[in-house]
Amino acid sequence: MALTIINSIASWILKKRIHQMELFLKYPNEVQEELLFSLLRTAEPTIIGQKYEFSSIRSYKTFAERVPVSTYEELEPLIERTRKGEQNVFWNTPIKWFAKSSGTTNAKSKFIPVSSEALEDCHYKASKDLLCLYLNNNENSQLFTGKSLRLGGSKQLYEDNNTFFGDLSAILIDNMPFWAEFSSTPSNKVSLMSEWESKIQAIIQETVMENVTSFAGVPSWMLVLLNRVLEETGKNNLVELWPNVEVYFHGGVSFEPYREQYKRLLPKEDFRYYEIYNASEGFFAIQDLNNSNDLLLMLDYGIFYEFIPMDAFGTPEQKVIRLSEVELNKNYAVVITTNSGLWRYLIGDTVRFTSLNPYRIKVTGRTKHHINVFGEELMVENTDKAIAKACQETNSEVIDYTVAPIFMKGREKGAHEWMIEFRRKPENIELFRKKLDEALQTVNSDYEAKRYNNMTLNPLVLNVARTNLFYDWLKEQDKLGGQHKIPRLSNSREYLDRLKALQYIQIE
């Protein structure tokens, strides 16, 4: 009875936010412009504000002409000054937190500044909005009668010059309000454990006796945990263990390659999947409808958005546009200006707009994670869809994959080479390879044109990875768990060649 009352009160409080969202839904471009000038006025006294004379910027046009688009490498000197204790460099309130983010593509770590405003007005606000939207769409939810099983990063926080750095999830856990821990499992202590294998075991021990009503985490790593839970408990599926589980909040990587595996683990007709789009730099978008593949771009989190059309990205013709100028179904690189002092920062993600009223998007990949060696413009969104289709048609399941080009040599044509690790291998690998190639041609017309009669590209080459190949590759780089991801696509052979080298080596 008490839990039911708590559930009703929490739902009522969270759903009040819907009325505030209506403002940016009705006036999206006006809200964004007002936000930009609020950020500029706030940062006027900073070093970067004085350098670009923020005090005299009165239009978006002036802002775009005066402040350059920057990568992390270009902002790093200013960030390092703040990490060493200097303040008022790019934001006017103290920056004490830095989200350490290297992804899987850089040996060198990035330290993304996280202000107190970003914690409260972006990350925590988004977490509440996610619940608000879900509860608004599911009136009979009993979410708060149980706990959320969360799977975050695997790094504790470290202190340096009176500043702190670690995974974003560790920063969020360290600063979260008490009620958030009360409604979550495992405990903060277990959530922040560094050693992945020990952490998995500790999570299982803490959670199997809880009344879990939701999951939250990256699909690839959550799948590892949930399969281990079944192994440990001997249950046939997760509903047997947690009968009240009702939703999985996921993000970080595309859900498409894993969707069928989750359906098998969670055979419950009314089970929901809700996607989010967040990163160390901010929280950007949330699925706002049941059974949707689109994400609502959240416009009042202290983040001003700009976009670069990918068809001209990195060329002399490259141009930056604001939200009001985007078009449907075009790929854009995302540029953000934030309440942590990232000014016109190129985050490296690509998105496609599926709706302009309201603004809804799909994440299509990374600016560095695509293949365009032969003019095929292959995006992660394409390969994820093709993998899912090939798996469905051959009754197989994939754990991870990566793709690289086979470069032309003399008269030899090029091709794409795949490394795929299966959870359930197809009975006929050659049939799977053929179905995958056909699916790619269906979802990408440029790839189809290059494959026509093997004109430019030969049929794709498929390597079947040994068990735990990708796990061992991440382990070799100390990147197990949490937010680390496999780079799906690359214009170079760096990742694929290392994976092929590891194919016949077992990592202890």
Side-chain angles (χ1 to χ4, degrees):
M1 182 66 177
L3 287 175
T4 303
I5 294 171
I6 291 171
N7 185 76
S8 299
I9 293 172
S11 299
W12 176 76
I13 292 171
L14 286 164
K15 285 192 285 188
K16 289 174 70 176
R17 162 73 173 144
I18 286 289
H19 300 298
Q20 296 172 345
M21 292 184 197
E22 289 171 354
L23 179 64
F24 76 73
L25 289 172
K26 190 173 183 180
Y27 304 105
N29 301 313
E30 292 85 350
V31 166
Q32 275 282 282
E33 182 150 333
E34 183 179 333
L35 172 60
L36 171 63
F37 290 112
S38 174
L39 295 171
L40 287 167
R41 298 292 82 83
T42 301
E44 280 181 15
T46 64
I47 289 171
I48 202 164
Q50 292 175 11
K51 177 180 179 181
Y52 295 115
E53 299 180 355
F54 283 0
S55 60
S56 64
I57 295 178
R58 292 289 181 268
S59 69
Y60 168 75
K61 183 173 182 290
T62 305
F63 170 72
E65 290 171 348
R66 195 174 292 179
V67 183
V69 172
S70 300
T71 62
Y72 179 82
E73 289 70 24
E74 290 163 329
L75 292 179
E76 186 179 26
L78 290 177
I79 291 172
E80 282 302 299
R81 285 169 63 176
T82 303
R83 284 192 66 217
K84 290 174 181 176
E86 186 178 353
Q87 293 295 343
N88 212 41
V89 177
F90 43 78
W91 192 242
N92 76 326
T93 61
I95 302 285
K96 295 198 308 180
W97 306 96
F98 293 86
K100 187 178 180 183
S101 171
S102 61
T104 50
T105 59
N106 267 329
K108 188 174 182 180
S109 294
K110 297 178 181 179
F111 293 89
I112 306 299
V114 180
S115 67
S116 57
E117 291 89 344
L119 282 174
E120 290 298 328
D121 300 333
C122 182
H123 294 290
Y124 291 139
K125 186 176 182 179
S127 298
K128 288 182 280 189
D129 282 357
L130 172 61
L131 297 174
C132 167
L133 289 163
Y134 172 74
L135 293 167
N136 193 60
N137 293 331
N138 299 278
E139 293 288 339
N140 298 321
S141 169
Q142 296 298 305
L143 200 64
F144 293 105
T145 60
K147 294 190 175 184
S148 174
L149 196 169
R150 63 187 179 191
L151 182 60
S154 308
K155 300 293 183 185
Q156 297 183 22
L157 291 173
Y158 301 92
E159 185 174 1
D160 184 25
N161 295 310
N162 202 33
T163 61
F164 302 86
F165 66 89
D167 280 0
L168 175 66
S169 56
I171 293 172
L172 296 177
I173 288 169
D174 196 68
N175 288 278
M176 69 167 48
F178 76 92
W179 58 264
E181 183 177 5
F182 175 75
S183 61
S184 302
T185 188
S187 62
N188 286 358
K189 181 180 178 182
V190 169
S191 292
L192 293 174
M193 287 175 66
S194 295
E195 205 283 309
W196 173 249
E197 286 295 337
S198 302
K199 176 177 178 174
I200 285 287
Q201 199 59 41
I203 291 175
I204 293 171
Q205 289 174 357
E206 280 201 9
T207 58
V208 291
M209 302 304 293
E210 294 281 6
N211 175 26
V212 172
T213 54
S214 67
F215 305 126
V218 175
S220 51
W221 291 111
M222 183 62 80
L223 199 58
V224 173
L225 170 63
L226 297 181
N227 277 306
R228 284 282 292 275
V229 166
L230 292 184
E231 290 171 17
E232 293 277 336
T233 61
K235 301 292 185 183
N236 294 312
N237 59 64
L238 295 167
V239 181
E240 288 184 7
L241 180 63
W242 296 309
N244 299 316
V245 70
E246 59 180 78
V247 60
Y248 173 29
F249 302 110
H250 62 87
V253 299
S254 170
F255 194 58
E256 283 308 310
Y258 307 106
R259 188 178 299 277
E260 293 305 314
Q261 295 178 63
Y262 275 93
K263 285 182 180 179
R264 179 172 53 79
L265 292 176
L266 293 154
K268 195 174 185 180
E269 283 189 14
D270 58 350
F271 189 83
R272 303 290 189 192
Y273 297 91
Y274 263 62
E275 186 174 353
I276 62 172
Y277 172 29
N278 69 332
S280 298
E281 294 87 352
F283 206 121
F284 310 124
I286 300 172
Q287 178 183 327
D288 65 317
L289 301 171
N290 286 338
N291 306 315
S292 172
N293 292 319
D294 302 336
L295 306 180
L296 179 68
L297 193 63
M298 306 303 284
L299 304 178
D300 63 349
Y301 287 177
I303 300 172
F304 178 76
Y305 293 97
E306 296 173 275
F307 303 90
I308 303 175
M310 281 299 291
D311 55 10
F313 182 81
T315 71
E317 288 73 40
Q318 173 178 302
K319 63 177 181 177
V320 185
I321 62 175
R322 53 182 159 174
L323 185 61
S324 59
E325 300 173 84
V326 299
E327 300 174 30
L328 288 174
N329 299 316
K330 290 184 67 173
N331 277 310
Y332 295 99
V334 183
V335 178
I336 58 173
T337 292
T338 77
N339 54 2
S340 280
L342 295 174
W343 296 95
R344 305 197 85 198
Y345 178 79
L346 187 66
I347 62 174
D349 289 342
T350 60
V351 301
R352 175 169 55 84
F353 282 85
T354 58
S355 167
L356 301 182
N357 184 25
Y359 287 106
R360 290 198 181 98
I361 60 171
K362 285 187 178 180
V363 182
T364 55
R366 300 278 293 168
T367 54
K368 292 181 180 178
H369 290 185
H370 66 281
I371 300 180
N372 196 28
V373 174
F374 312 102
E376 66 275 53
E377 296 189 31
L378 198 68
M379 307 292 291
V380 174
E381 182 187 33
N382 304 147
T383 53
D384 280 343
K385 283 183 179 177
I387 278 276
K389 193 168 191 294
C391 283
Q392 189 175 28
E393 292 183 3
T394 59
N395 193 30
S396 54
E397 294 179 354
V398 165
I399 294 175
D400 259 315
Y401 73 89
T402 195
V403 192
I406 298 174
F407 295 102
M408 295 178 177
K409 291 182 180 178
R411 294 185 178 181
E412 292 182 27
K413 294 172 184 175
H416 290 173
E417 184 172 4
W418 289 64
M419 179 70 78
I420 301 178
E421 183 177 345
F422 291 94
R423 185 177 304 280
R424 184 169 70 235
K425 291 182 182 178
E427 290 184 8
N428 186 327
I429 291 293
E430 174 56 25
L431 176 62
F432 179 91
R433 188 201 63 75
K434 183 180 178 184
K435 292 291 185 183
L436 179 60
D437 200 33
E438 290 173 353
L440 283 169
Q441 293 180 57
T442 301
V443 299
N444 185 308
S445 59
D446 291 312
Y447 180 80
E448 180 184 34
K450 304 300 182 293
R451 283 284 296 113
Y452 181 71
N453 289 334
N454 300 342
M455 188 178 299
T456 304
L457 288 175
N458 281 327
L460 65 84
V461 175
L462 174 58
N463 300 286
V464 177
R466 65 165 170 82
T467 302
N468 289 332
L469 177 63
F470 287 96
Y471 184 95
D472 289 345
W473 183 71
L474 289 170
K475 187 174 183 178
E476 181 185 58
Q477 301 175 73
D478 191 28
K479 294 183 182 297
L480 286 180
Q483 301 163 337
H484 300 302
K485 309 158 198 169
I486 299 296
R488 301 296 203 198
L489 308 179
S490 175
N491 275 324
S492 80
R493 292 186 57 84
E494 175 188 355
Y495 313 122
L496 184 67
D497 286 344
R498 181 55 190 154
L499 284 161
K500 291 178 77 172
L502 284 175
Q503 176 81 315
Y504 302 104
I505 302 171
Q506 294 290 336
I507 304 295
E508 296 299 328

